[in-house]
Amino acid sequence: MIIENEFPVLEYSTERDAVINPGKKEESFPRLCIMTFFGDVFESFIEKHHGEIIGTYASEMKKFHAYRVSYKETDLCIIQAAVGAGSISIMTDWLYGKGVEVLLCCGCCGVLADIPEGDVIIPVRALRDEGASYKYLPPGRYIDLNKEPVGIFEQVLEEYKIPYIECTTWSTDGFYRETKEMVEHRISQGCQAVEMECSAMAAIAQFRNKIFGQLLYSGDILVGSEKYDDRNWYANLSAREKIFQITLESLIRF
């Protein structure tokens, strides 16, 4: 059944079967999967642990290879994340179709508060300001993230004595439309972080009855009276390695 709306992006189909479905086909992936946006960390890990290619997500952008690795006697899958809700939603659904049951993702975000660079952030709710989530769930302002990964992230971070914050993140398609007035508007709605993928991935997991969780580190800051400063977020290797390791340690507890 089609739920009609004046605005096309808010129209929703209740039919679960699609023209093209993300079926398993010939591959069957491990049930645990870590996804990271950090190409440098990704390449280093698969080299160190002798990753074996088990499938390829092909796009016009490039070929994203999924690897099987053994970490602490646990069989898991690892893949580099595509950027943007539209791209990563297809990759996420593809992974679930290959047999992944638990998907944990680590990345970076902009912050809407005075949060030091490199600090660990656990999104517990995401504002749905992107398009992909509306193809999987009926319209809504927010989506709550699965509490199980949040709880495991907390346990691991506390064991390692790493401070963290939990927050509502703003997931948006409009990278170049994060205007000052919109930033202030989102802050007034309780958002402390901004990224491009979280709400879409959470919606797909909920639709498919799978598990998804995300860890972020504080990158650029979008507030303050000074000129915009990206804080060199893309070169913060120590934060990238730390957040990846925490995500990895959390994954093997499922």
Side-chain angles (χ1 to χ4, degrees):
M1 180 174 68
I2 298 295
I3 309 300
E4 295 189 9
N5 192 285
E6 178 184 358
F7 305 103
V9 70
L10 300 181
E11 292 188 322
Y12 178 73
S13 170
T14 61
E15 184 180 1
R16 294 192 66 87
D17 191 40
V19 175
I20 304 172
N21 292 294
K24 291 185 180 181
K25 295 185 178 178
E26 70 280 3
E27 298 123 345
S28 182
F29 292 0
R31 59 179 293 272
L32 305 179
C33 182
I34 181 169
M35 176 187 282
T36 179
F37 290 91
F38 315 140
D40 44 5
V41 178
F42 171 76
E43 295 290 345
S44 175
F45 182 79
I46 58 174
E47 181 178 355
K48 180 180 179 180
H49 293 276
H50 311 290
E52 169 198 1
I53 296 176
I54 54 174
T56 301
Y57 173 74
S59 75
E60 294 292 348
M61 195 184 320
K62 73 168 195 174
K63 292 182 178 179
F64 294 84
H65 297 309
Y67 292 83
R68 184 191 302 271
V69 298
S70 179
Y71 179 77
K72 293 187 176 180
E73 300 182 344
T74 301
D75 192 34
L76 56 87
C77 170
I78 179 171
I79 192 169
Q80 185 177 358
V83 175
S87 295
I88 208 167
S89 64
I90 307 171
M91 177 184 281
T92 299
D93 218 352
W94 176 79
L95 287 167
Y96 289 143
K98 298 296 185 186
V100 170
E101 295 290 332
V102 180
L103 174 60
L104 300 186
C105 181
C106 57
C108 179
C109 65
V111 292
L112 311 182
D114 188 15
I115 301 171
E117 56 188 298
D119 274 17
V120 178
I121 297 171
I122 307 176
V124 296
R125 186 173 70 159
L127 188 145
R128 296 169 61 188
D129 189 21
E130 40 67 40
S133 67
Y134 294 89
K135 311 308 174 191
Y136 290 87
L137 297 179
R141 176 168 290 274
Y142 299 102
I143 183 168
D144 292 323
L145 272 77
N146 190 303
K147 291 182 180 179
E148 187 176 5
V150 170
I152 292 176
F153 286 147
E154 291 171 342
Q155 292 172 12
V156 175
L157 286 161
E158 287 164 9
E159 286 175 15
Y160 280 80
K161 296 181 169 53
I162 297 173
Y164 62 90
I165 67 166
E166 296 178 355
C167 78
T168 297
T169 184
W170 166 27
S171 300
T172 176
D173 284 332
F175 182 81
Y176 287 118
R177 293 302 298 151
E178 296 168 6
T179 64
K180 289 184 177 181
E181 65 178 7
M182 184 56 76
V183 167
E184 291 300 321
H185 184 56
R186 295 303 184 215
I187 291 171
S188 72
Q189 296 173 332
C191 297
Q192 290 182 280
V194 57
E195 38 64 50
M196 301 178 69
E197 300 88 9
C198 185
S199 60
M201 297 178 75
I204 296 165
Q206 185 173 313
F207 179 81
R208 297 293 183 194
N209 197 28
K210 307 292 185 179
I211 294 175
F212 167 75
Q214 186 161 29
L215 273 187
L216 301 165
Y217 76 84
S218 170
D220 57 335
I221 185 166
L222 280 71
V223 293
S225 58
E226 302 296 324
K227 184 179 179 181
Y228 168 73
D229 180 10
D230 65 14
R231 301 200 295 191
N232 214 24
W233 64 265
Y234 42 81
N236 194 339
L237 183 59
S238 62
R240 295 155 85 89
E241 290 176 336
K242 176 176 69 176
I243 208 85
F244 177 84
Q245 192 63 37
I246 293 300
T247 306
L248 185 63
E249 294 296 332
S250 300
L251 181 65
I252 63 175
R253 299 194 179 196
F254 281 89

Short mmCIF file of all heavy atoms in Angstrom, two decimals, residues 98-133:
data_model
loop_
_atom_site.label_atom_id
_atom_site.label_comp_id
_atom_site.label_asym_id
_atom_site.label_seq_id
_atom_site.Cartn_x
_atom_site.Cartn_y
_atom_site.Cartn_z
N LYS A 98 23.66 -10.23 2.51
CA LYS A 98 24.71 -11.25 2.43
C LYS A 98 24.87 -12.05 3.72
O LYS A 98 25.75 -12.89 3.82
CB LYS A 98 26.05 -10.58 2.09
CG LYS A 98 26.08 -9.87 0.75
CD LYS A 98 25.90 -10.82 -0.41
CE LYS A 98 26.06 -10.10 -1.75
NZ LYS A 98 25.75 -10.97 -2.89
N GLY A 99 24.05 -11.75 4.71
CA GLY A 99 24.11 -12.53 5.93
C GLY A 99 24.59 -11.80 7.16
O GLY A 99 24.65 -12.38 8.26
N VAL A 100 24.97 -10.53 7.04
CA VAL A 100 25.39 -9.75 8.20
C VAL A 100 24.19 -9.54 9.13
O VAL A 100 23.10 -9.19 8.68
CB VAL A 100 25.99 -8.40 7.77
CG1 VAL A 100 26.20 -7.48 8.98
CG2 VAL A 100 27.30 -8.60 7.03
N GLU A 101 24.41 -9.77 10.41
CA GLU A 101 23.36 -9.56 11.41
C GLU A 101 23.65 -8.37 12.32
O GLU A 101 22.72 -7.71 12.80
CB GLU A 101 23.21 -10.82 12.29
CG GLU A 101 22.73 -12.04 11.53
CD GLU A 101 21.27 -11.91 11.10
OE1 GLU A 101 20.51 -11.20 11.78
OE2 GLU A 101 20.90 -12.53 10.07
N VAL A 102 24.93 -8.11 12.57
CA VAL A 102 25.34 -6.99 13.43
C VAL A 102 26.33 -6.13 12.66
O VAL A 102 27.37 -6.62 12.22
CB VAL A 102 26.00 -7.50 14.73
CG1 VAL A 102 26.42 -6.31 15.60
CG2 VAL A 102 25.07 -8.42 15.49
N LEU A 103 26.00 -4.87 12.49
CA LEU A 103 26.84 -3.94 11.75
C LEU A 103 27.17 -2.75 12.66
O LEU A 103 26.28 -2.01 13.08
CB LEU A 103 26.12 -3.45 10.49
CG LEU A 103 26.81 -2.35 9.66
CD1 LEU A 103 28.18 -2.82 9.17
CD2 LEU A 103 25.93 -1.93 8.50
N LEU A 104 28.45 -2.60 12.96
CA LEU A 104 28.91 -1.45 13.73
C LEU A 104 29.78 -0.58 12.84
O LEU A 104 30.67 -1.08 12.13
CB LEU A 104 29.69 -1.88 14.97
CG LEU A 104 28.95 -2.76 15.99
CD1 LEU A 104 29.81 -2.98 17.22
CD2 LEU A 104 27.61 -2.16 16.38
N CYS A 105 29.54 0.72 12.88
CA CYS A 105 30.22 1.66 11.99
C CYS A 105 30.96 2.71 12.81
O CYS A 105 30.46 3.17 13.84
CB CYS A 105 29.19 2.33 11.08
SG CYS A 105 29.88 3.50 9.90
N CYS A 106 32.15 3.09 12.36
CA CYS A 106 32.88 4.17 13.02
C CYS A 106 33.25 5.25 12.01
O CYS A 106 33.61 4.98 10.87
CB CYS A 106 34.12 3.66 13.75
SG CYS A 106 35.31 2.77 12.73
N GLY A 107 33.10 6.49 12.46
CA GLY A 107 33.36 7.62 11.57
C GLY A 107 33.65 8.88 12.36
O GLY A 107 33.87 8.85 13.57
N CYS A 108 33.59 9.98 11.65
CA CYS A 108 33.86 11.30 12.22
C CYS A 108 32.61 12.15 12.06
O CYS A 108 31.74 11.86 11.22
CB CYS A 108 35.04 11.94 11.52
SG CYS A 108 35.46 13.59 12.10
N CYS A 109 32.50 13.21 12.83
CA CYS A 109 31.34 14.11 12.70
C CYS A 109 31.76 15.54 12.98
O CYS A 109 32.79 15.80 13.60
CB CYS A 109 30.23 13.69 13.67
SG CYS A 109 30.68 13.87 15.41
N GLY A 110 30.94 16.46 12.49
CA GLY A 110 31.06 17.83 12.94
C GLY A 110 30.34 17.96 14.27
O GLY A 110 29.46 17.17 14.59
N VAL A 111 30.72 18.95 15.06
CA VAL A 111 30.07 19.13 16.36
C VAL A 111 29.41 20.51 16.43
O VAL A 111 29.87 21.48 15.83
CB VAL A 111 31.04 18.93 17.53
CG1 VAL A 111 31.47 17.46 17.60
CG2 VAL A 111 32.27 19.82 17.42
N LEU A 112 28.30 20.54 17.17
CA LEU A 112 27.50 21.75 17.31
C LEU A 112 27.59 22.30 18.73
O LEU A 112 26.71 23.03 19.18
CB LEU A 112 26.04 21.45 16.96
CG LEU A 112 25.79 20.68 15.65
CD1 LEU A 112 24.30 20.51 15.41
CD2 LEU A 112 26.45 21.39 14.47
N ALA A 113 28.66 21.91 19.42
CA ALA A 113 28.92 22.38 20.78
C ALA A 113 30.44 22.40 20.94
O ALA A 113 31.18 21.90 20.08
CB ALA A 113 28.27 21.46 21.80
N ASP A 114 30.90 22.96 22.03
CA ASP A 114 32.35 23.06 22.27
C ASP A 114 32.88 21.73 22.78
O ASP A 114 33.20 21.57 23.96
CB ASP A 114 32.63 24.19 23.26
CG ASP A 114 34.12 24.47 23.38
OD1 ASP A 114 34.89 24.00 22.51
OD2 ASP A 114 34.53 25.14 24.35
N ILE A 115 32.96 20.78 21.86
CA ILE A 115 33.45 19.43 22.18
C ILE A 115 34.87 19.32 21.64
O ILE A 115 35.11 19.56 20.45
CB ILE A 115 32.55 18.36 21.55
CG1 ILE A 115 31.11 18.51 22.06
CG2 ILE A 115 33.09 16.96 21.84
CD1 ILE A 115 30.11 17.63 21.34
N PRO A 116 35.84 18.99 22.48
CA PRO A 116 37.24 18.92 22.02
C PRO A 116 37.41 17.96 20.85
O PRO A 116 36.72 16.94 20.76
CB PRO A 116 37.99 18.43 23.26
CG PRO A 116 37.13 18.85 24.42
CD PRO A 116 35.72 18.72 23.92
N GLU A 117 38.34 18.29 19.96
CA GLU A 117 38.58 17.44 18.80
C GLU A 117 39.08 16.07 19.23
O GLU A 117 39.88 15.94 20.15
CB GLU A 117 39.59 18.11 17.85
CG GLU A 117 40.91 18.48 18.48
CD GLU A 117 41.77 19.30 17.52
OE1 GLU A 117 42.13 18.79 16.46
OE2 GLU A 117 42.07 20.46 17.86
N GLY A 118 38.56 15.05 18.57
CA GLY A 118 38.98 13.69 18.86
C GLY A 118 38.18 13.00 19.95
O GLY A 118 38.35 11.80 20.17
N ASP A 119 37.28 13.72 20.62
CA ASP A 119 36.48 13.10 21.68
C ASP A 119 35.51 12.07 21.09
O ASP A 119 35.02 12.22 19.96
CB ASP A 119 35.70 14.16 22.45
CG ASP A 119 36.52 14.78 23.58
OD1 ASP A 119 37.76 14.63 23.55
OD2 ASP A 119 35.92 15.42 24.46
N VAL A 120 35.19 11.06 21.89
CA VAL A 120 34.32 9.97 21.45
C VAL A 120 32.85 10.34 21.66
O VAL A 120 32.47 10.85 22.73
CB VAL A 120 34.65 8.67 22.20
CG1 VAL A 120 33.70 7.54 21.78
CG2 VAL A 120 36.10 8.26 21.95
N ILE A 121 32.04 10.07 20.65
CA ILE A 121 30.62 10.39 20.69
C ILE A 121 29.82 9.14 20.31
O ILE A 121 30.12 8.48 19.32
CB ILE A 121 30.29 11.53 19.71
CG1 ILE A 121 31.03 12.81 20.12
CG2 ILE A 121 28.79 11.77 19.62
CD1 ILE A 121 30.93 13.93 19.10
N ILE A 122 28.81 8.82 21.13
CA ILE A 122 27.88 7.73 20.81
C ILE A 122 26.54 8.35 20.43
O ILE A 122 25.86 8.93 21.28
CB ILE A 122 27.66 6.79 22.01
CG1 ILE A 122 28.98 6.27 22.57
CG2 ILE A 122 26.76 5.62 21.59
CD1 ILE A 122 28.81 5.41 23.83
N PRO A 123 26.12 8.24 19.17
CA PRO A 123 24.77 8.70 18.83
C PRO A 123 23.73 7.75 19.42
O PRO A 123 23.83 6.54 19.25
CB PRO A 123 24.75 8.63 17.30
CG PRO A 123 26.17 8.45 16.87
CD PRO A 123 26.85 7.76 18.00
N VAL A 124 22.76 8.30 20.13
CA VAL A 124 21.67 7.50 20.66
C VAL A 124 20.34 7.82 19.98
O VAL A 124 19.37 7.08 20.11
CB VAL A 124 21.53 7.69 22.20
CG1 VAL A 124 22.77 7.19 22.90
CG2 VAL A 124 21.27 9.15 22.55
N ARG A 125 20.33 8.92 19.22
CA ARG A 125 19.15 9.31 18.45
C ARG A 125 19.64 10.13 17.27
O ARG A 125 20.62 10.86 17.38
CB ARG A 125 18.19 10.13 19.32
CG ARG A 125 16.88 10.47 18.64
CD ARG A 125 15.90 11.13 19.58
NE ARG A 125 16.31 12.48 19.94
CZ ARG A 125 15.48 13.42 20.40
NH1 ARG A 125 14.21 13.14 20.60
NH2 ARG A 125 15.94 14.62 20.71
N ALA A 126 18.97 9.99 16.13
CA ALA A 126 19.37 10.73 14.93
C ALA A 126 18.18 11.47 14.34
O ALA A 126 17.07 10.90 14.23
CB ALA A 126 19.96 9.78 13.89
N LEU A 127 18.40 12.72 13.98
CA LEU A 127 17.39 13.52 13.30
C LEU A 127 17.44 13.18 11.82
O LEU A 127 18.49 13.27 11.19
CB LEU A 127 17.64 15.00 13.55
CG LEU A 127 16.57 15.96 13.06
CD1 LEU A 127 16.44 17.15 14.03
CD2 LEU A 127 16.88 16.49 11.67
N ARG A 128 16.30 12.83 11.23
CA ARG A 128 16.24 12.29 9.87
C ARG A 128 16.13 13.40 8.82
O ARG A 128 15.10 13.61 8.21
CB ARG A 128 15.06 11.32 9.76
CG ARG A 128 15.20 10.09 10.64
CD ARG A 128 13.90 9.31 10.70
NE ARG A 128 13.49 8.82 9.38
CZ ARG A 128 12.31 8.24 9.14
NH1 ARG A 128 11.43 8.11 10.12
NH2 ARG A 128 12.01 7.84 7.91
N ASP A 129 17.24 14.07 8.58
CA ASP A 129 17.27 15.13 7.57
C ASP A 129 18.01 14.64 6.33
O ASP A 129 18.88 15.31 5.78
CB ASP A 129 17.93 16.39 8.15
CG ASP A 129 17.80 17.61 7.24
OD1 ASP A 129 16.89 17.60 6.38
OD2 ASP A 129 18.60 18.54 7.38
N GLU A 130 17.71 13.41 5.93
CA GLU A 130 18.23 12.82 4.69
C GLU A 130 17.08 12.08 4.02
O GLU A 130 16.01 11.94 4.61
CB GLU A 130 19.42 11.88 4.98
CG GLU A 130 19.30 11.01 6.22
CD GLU A 130 18.22 9.96 6.13
OE1 GLU A 130 18.07 9.35 5.06
OE2 GLU A 130 17.54 9.72 7.14
N GLY A 131 17.29 11.58 2.82
CA GLY A 131 16.19 11.00 2.08
C GLY A 131 16.02 9.50 2.21
O GLY A 131 14.90 8.98 2.11
N ALA A 132 17.12 8.77 2.44
CA ALA A 132 17.07 7.31 2.35
C ALA A 132 16.19 6.67 3.41
O ALA A 132 15.50 5.67 3.15
CB ALA A 132 18.49 6.74 2.43
N SER A 133 16.21 7.20 4.63
CA SER A 133 15.45 6.56 5.72
C SER A 133 13.96 6.53 5.44
O SER A 133 13.25 5.64 5.92
CB SER A 133 15.72 7.26 7.05
OG SER A 133 15.20 8.58 7.05
#
